[in-house]
Amino acid sequence: MTIEDQTEAILRPKEASGSGTASSAMDAPAPSTDPATSSMAPAELSVNAAKKLAKAKEKEEKKLAKKREQEQKQKEQESSAPDFARSNYGDLPETRPDPERIKSFKDLVADETVIVQARLQNTRAQTNKLVFLLLRQGFSTIQAVVAAGDESSQVSRQMTKWVASLSLETILEVEGVVTKPKDPVASASISELEIHVKKIYVIAAATQQFPMQLESALLPELKEGEEEAAEESKTSKTPRVSLKTRLDNRVVDLRTPTNAAITWIKHGVSQLFQEYLCQNGFVQIFSPKLIAAASEGGSNVFAVKYFERVAYLAQSPQLYKQMAIGGDGGRVFEIGPVFRAENSNTHRHMTEFVGLDLEMTFKVHYHEVLDLLEGLFVYIFNGLKERYSREIDLVRKQYPVEEFKLPENGKMVRLSFKEGIGMLREAGEEVDDYEDLSTPHERLLGKLVREKYNTDFFILDQFPLGIRPFYTMPSEHDPKLSNSYDFFMRGEEIMSGAQRVHQHELLVQRMKSLGIDAESDGLKDYVDSFKYGTPPHAGGGIGLERVVFLFLGLGNIRKASMFPRDPQRLRP
């Protein structure tokens, strides 16, 4: 109870008795020591107590006023006092350090004075003399401590005040001493070290209000039909956001440790693909993406105006890979963009993706190519686990999924299309012998293969000829089948390939049977190249983003693309 409350409570009985004037008090009889006549004693004591409380209140108010006056004087003194650390913070100074002195977090060692450049992920002002920072490089974070002291500390109170006002995500250059904290820093990925700041400068300030919190991109995104949850999330400290919001603001989204890890893993798949092929005698080629005719046939092609004619964006480098084989390329591969004008708004389709393509001659049978492709994928999967285990673990924290399984004996599962159909029928599905597998059937087959063979990776061989492109070689055993194959991960296709038709007459015959004009612009040069003799060959095309999103279990291919393109998205 405050002094005012106490005073009011004590005076209330007197006011209620009606004796509120001086004359009535003087006319009252003198107090009696007789208990029977001592009813005025409590009132008289209450007046004395009230006076004491009033004096105490006055004393307390004077004390508070004096304290406020002292605090104001201190603030004025601090603001007017010379800032001995003024040159140690603010904008970048004109004199810059030797680049060799600027360190990566992974190179930090205790008791060394270092310079680092990093983003400001979080700040926490403990007092006006002590501020904690969380600095981020890629998916690594470390704590930095800014503690004001005397001139020997190089940090003033003005400096800590300025540091506490910095916008999150600002890029900083920090100089300080690396030390070992008393206790591990739970909020930082580098928990056994921290930086005691001596100098801190802004490289690039984050001035725009963020469209979403960075922490939101580390949560499972809202899915369709979760609008109510979205409304509820507005009251949450860290609201969830939809995948659309994340992709619309991709530059912010990409800063999360999870997305940094996905970027490195995608790079790893591409690098391992190149390594293996180069170790096996392949040469990289670079084919045009503006072409005169659809390379895969059909209407799923983007037409563009090419001066006075129409050109098309390449659906694949297929025709040029084969022409390179005809030019005695032997073994070729390419990494480049692929364009598909498919109006498919699914979790696994994009209108532009990165193709990992290869083509090679073989000596006797196209299964020589299948053997090499099996070795290629085993090399990629094992390489990812060996080189990118840290990144994989980071992704697993946000997208928990069962580890990608391969056969323990190292022998990949290879089934004929007929065997795959048989497994589906045994599971109660109605499937035609010569029709392509639907997406649900692919997934079910993946589940059946995992249960039977304990693997998430398998191959289907000898697909029906009627569902493959015109350049696919028919099977020598069944004219309704073809020497073609698909590779699957977690029940979804990630590569399609085949032995190609290498005889000119058979190629023309195949094109005619499908209503394709072998003399048309864009195809004539390709068809005529086989008149000069082309060796037997086979190959395939792999979708880079599909490999990444299925290996990691991301649930949507767009998460494996830096700036995805689909029928609804042309930006950013």
Side-chain angles (χ1 to χ4, degrees), residues 280-530:
N280 284 275
F282 282 74
V283 62
Q284 187 171 10
I285 62 171
F286 306 90
S287 66
K289 303 307 166 199
L290 281 171
I291 58 178
S295 53
E296 299 291 330
S299 59
N300 298 329
V301 59
F302 288 110
V304 296
K305 184 177 180 181
Y306 191 71
F307 301 103
E308 300 304 318
R309 348 175 231 165
V310 176
Y312 303 92
L313 296 179
Q315 295 166 294
S316 81
Q318 184 57 46
L319 308 187
Y320 294 95
K321 288 190 301 176
Q322 290 186 254
M323 292 168 76
I325 295 296
D328 287 344
R331 295 184 169 197
V332 300
F333 76 91
E334 177 169 341
I335 300 176
V338 173
F339 303 93
R340 299 286 171 89
E342 298 178 5
N343 192 15
S344 298
N345 296 281
T346 74
H347 73 287
R348 67 175 187 171
H349 286 95
M350 294 195 297
T351 53
E352 179 184 351
F353 60 90
V354 178
L356 308 177
D357 281 87
L358 62 92
E359 207 77 21
M360 62 176 280
T361 59
F362 59 83
K363 298 173 182 178
V364 178
H365 197 275
Y366 78 95
H367 280 183
E368 297 166 33
V369 183
L370 270 183
D371 293 338
L372 181 132
L373 286 168
E374 280 187 6
L376 166 64
F377 278 101
V378 171
Y379 185 83
I380 290 173
F381 298 145
N382 289 338
L384 289 176
K385 292 178 180 179
E386 292 169 4
R387 303 183 194 181
Y388 298 93
S389 60
R390 180 190 180 193
E391 288 81 355
I392 292 171
D393 289 343
L394 275 170
V395 176
R396 290 279 185 271
K397 288 180 181 178
Q398 185 169 353
Y399 302 108
V401 71
E402 289 188 64
E403 185 175 353
F404 188 79
K405 285 190 174 184
L406 291 176
E408 293 180 1
N409 61 8
K411 187 176 181 180
M412 299 301 105
V413 175
R414 189 185 300 181
L415 305 171
S416 68
F417 186 83
K418 185 177 181 180
E419 288 174 317
I421 293 294
M423 291 179 68
L424 289 171
R425 286 175 177 163
E426 287 178 8
E429 296 295 313
E430 293 184 6
V431 192
D432 191 275
D433 287 332
Y434 299 104
E435 289 185 4
D436 203 358
L437 295 178
S438 65
T439 298
H441 282 151
E442 285 182 358
R443 287 181 173 174
L444 176 57
L445 183 58
K447 180 181 178 182
L448 296 173
V449 168
R450 196 178 205 269
E451 292 172 352
K452 184 174 182 178
Y453 299 101
N454 197 33
T455 181
D456 288 311
F457 177 74
F458 67 96
I459 302 163
L460 278 188
D461 188 19
Q462 290 283 299
F463 272 74
L465 181 63
I467 62 174
R468 306 303 272 200
F470 67 87
Y471 46 73
T472 305
M473 179 66 77
S475 171
E476 62 271 27
H477 305 296
D478 185 342
K480 290 186 177 181
L481 299 179
S482 63
N483 294 346
S484 62
Y485 39 82
D486 281 358
F487 285 50
F488 294 84
M489 292 173 63
R490 300 188 194 271
E492 301 199 44
E493 175 211 329
I494 49 97
M495 194 205 82
S496 184
Q499 177 184 352
R500 323 300 186 181
V501 175
H502 61 279
Q503 303 101 327
H504 177 263
E505 295 81 3
L506 179 57
L507 180 61
V508 173
Q509 180 183 332
R510 283 275 299 137
M511 295 176 76
K512 283 182 179 179
S513 69
L514 296 172
I516 300 172
D517 184 4
E519 296 294 317
S520 64
D521 288 344
L523 290 177
K524 179 175 172 53
D525 294 329
Y526 163 76
V527 175
D528 286 350
S529 71
F530 292 94

Side-chain angles (χ1 to χ4, degrees), residues 118-121 166-172 202-207:
R119 282 196 184 274
L120 177 60
Q121 181 164 316
L166 288 170
S167 300
L168 300 186
E169 292 301 298
T170 290
I171 303 174
L172 302 171
V202 171
I203 297 174
T207 57

Side-chain angles (χ1 to χ4, degrees), residues 120-158:
L120 177 60
Q121 181 164 316
N122 201 4
T123 60
R124 178 167 58 88
Q126 193 83 347
T127 67
N128 61 355
K129 298 175 64 177
L130 180 63
V131 181
F132 293 96
L133 310 179
L134 189 64
L135 305 178
R136 186 181 77 248
Q137 282 184 355
F139 39 76
S140 297
T141 55
I142 191 170
Q143 178 171 276
V145 182
V146 187
D150 56 21
E151 291 193 33
S152 62
S153 72
Q154 298 181 253
V155 179
S156 63
R157 289 193 180 187
Q158 294 95 324

Side-chain angles (χ1 to χ4, degrees), residues 56-74:
K57 177 184 175 184
E58 183 180 1
K59 184 177 180 181
E60 184 178 348
E61 288 178 346
K62 288 180 179 180
K63 184 178 178 181
L64 290 172
K66 187 176 181 180
K67 184 180 179 181
R68 285 193 292 266
E69 185 181 354
Q70 288 175 344
E71 288 177 350
Q72 183 62 31
K73 285 182 179 180
Q74 185 178 354

Side-chain angles (χ1 to χ4, degrees), residues 84-96:
F84 60 82
R86 190 64 196 90
S87 61
N88 295 339
Y89 65 96
D91 294 332
L92 278 174
E94 293 182 5
T95 304
R96 305 290 293 115

